[in-house]
Amino acid sequence: MLLAQEMSLLVRNCAQLQALVPNEARERWLPPEVEVIADADVALAICREAERFAADVVCVASHGVGLSRAFHGSVTKAVLKQIRRPLLVFRRAEE
């Protein structure tokens, strides 16, 4: 069971994700569905939710660091091995 503090963080994360979606997208298409899932196996949770949502595409950021920067992060690698939906992997802009 999630603690109140953890639940508050999940709700805040969900609101932050919703805010990233441009208003234009809401006007042109169906409103995006954003849900924050807590799971010990992140890659499996992403794949499971992609199937449940019947996602057209799954987008994940790849942010390996140091020498592994040329490669995908460990979660992205695991998703690549398991996903049965189209996957878009992108690198975050340098900060």
Side-chain angles (χ1 to χ4, degrees), residues 58-80:
V58 175
C59 302
V60 294
S62 178
H63 43 203
V65 293
L67 293 176
S68 68
R69 186 166 220 149
F71 304 101
H72 302 300
S74 59
V75 171
T76 302
K77 281 184 184 178
V79 171
L80 277 166

Side-chain angles (χ1 to χ4, degrees), residues 16-80:
Q16 289 171 338
L17 288 171
Q18 282 282 8
L20 293 174
V21 178
N23 288 332
E24 210 173 85
R26 290 182 186 88
E27 294 167 2
R28 291 184 174 188
W29 309 301
L30 293 173
E33 294 181 47
V34 176
E35 190 171 332
V36 178
I37 306 296
D39 196 303
D41 187 337
V42 177
L44 180 60
I46 290 170
C47 296
R48 185 175 52 237
E49 292 302 306
E51 291 300 319
R52 186 174 71 86
F53 272 93
D56 294 322
V57 65
V58 175
C59 302
V60 294
S62 178
H63 43 203
V65 293
L67 293 176
S68 68
R69 186 166 220 149
F71 304 101
H72 302 300
S74 59
V75 171
T76 302
K77 281 184 184 178
V79 171
L80 277 166

